[in-house]
Amino acid sequence: GLFHKAILQSGAAANVSTPEQMDRVTHHFLSSLRLEPASVGALERAPVAQILSAQARASARFGIAAGNLAWQPCVDGDLIPEPPLQAIARGAAREVPVLIGTNRDEWKLFLAGDSKGRRLDEAGLGRRLQRAFSKQGFGEGDSGENAALRAAEAYQRVRGPRGAEPVERWAAFQSDRIFHRPAM
């Protein structure tokens, strides 16, 4: 009853973390600042440049390098009591009109913090796609490696000459995987 309309932009209900994932990100972030979890006051006094640097390091370690988002809502059982997709499936928001949107090149923003991603060659693209697909379940006789090869070829066909560079295909794949497909 708190909302009568909602817009979900550049994100999807599937993009949430577990408390364990957020604990790892938080620990790394605070360790980069040499702070303890209970030192909120020290965090408030930390220089902005140091906070941004620690944020970038945590993003690189737990997000961009893994092809994921390090900073996203956490299903904590309190503020977010259950995974949003479960809440939607049981009808928690059935009376709330929702507009969902994404941008064509969502993942390109994240390439700014991914120097290796900006210089991908075919082998690097293959490794990244294989890691992404190894997290998925495949049918009998298939593997993450086969799926990665098919994806690399498919994105090259679909993107055409202008989008055939490995970095362009990686950005398109990640935009689809992290943003477009979950929004659909």
Side-chain angles (χ1 to χ4, degrees):
L2 297 177
F3 301 94
H4 60 91
K5 293 179 186 159
I7 298 174
L8 305 175
Q9 179 61 36
S10 296
N15 292 339
V16 293
S17 292
T18 65
E20 295 77 24
Q21 290 168 313
M22 287 299 15
D23 284 347
R24 286 190 297 275
V25 173
T26 301
H27 176 74
H28 188 269
F29 172 73
L30 292 174
S31 292
S32 293
L33 292 168
R34 295 183 178 91
L35 297 176
E36 295 296 320
S39 56
V40 174
L43 181 59
E44 290 173 341
R45 292 185 299 278
V48 171
Q50 287 179 7
I51 292 172
L52 293 175
S53 180
Q55 178 184 350
R57 285 192 297 276
S59 294
R61 179 166 181 185
F62 295 102
I64 294 168
N68 295 309
L69 302 172
W71 307 101
Q72 56 190 10
C74 176
V75 179
D76 63 355
D78 183 27
L79 182 62
I80 302 177
E82 64 184 309
L85 288 178
Q86 287 180 13
I88 291 167
R90 70 172 173 72
R94 69 181 157 273
E95 302 297 323
V96 180
V98 176
L99 175 67
I100 300 173
T102 63
N103 297 297
R104 186 187 68 193
D105 295 318
E106 291 272 7
W107 194 257
K108 283 191 176 181
L109 169 67
F110 298 94
L111 286 173
D114 182 9
S115 60
K116 290 180 183 176
R118 292 190 309 268
R119 298 185 315 264
L120 275 181
D121 59 10
E122 289 297 328
L125 172 64
R127 285 189 299 274
R128 284 184 177 215
L129 289 171
Q130 190 168 349
R131 273 196 311 268
F133 279 104
S134 70
K135 298 174 187 175
Q136 310 294 317
F138 293 95
E140 192 174 315
D142 204 350
S143 70
E145 185 175 350
N146 290 337
L149 288 171
R150 287 195 315 274
E153 292 167 1
Y155 275 88
Q156 186 154 13
R157 278 193 314 274
V158 170
R159 299 293 283 189
R162 291 183 58 207
E165 292 298 317
V167 67
E168 292 294 323
R169 286 184 281 149
W170 174 247
F173 172 78
Q174 284 293 88
S175 293
D176 287 345
R177 184 173 80 93
I178 301 292
F179 299 102
H180 305 150
R181 186 172 176 272
M184 286 188 260

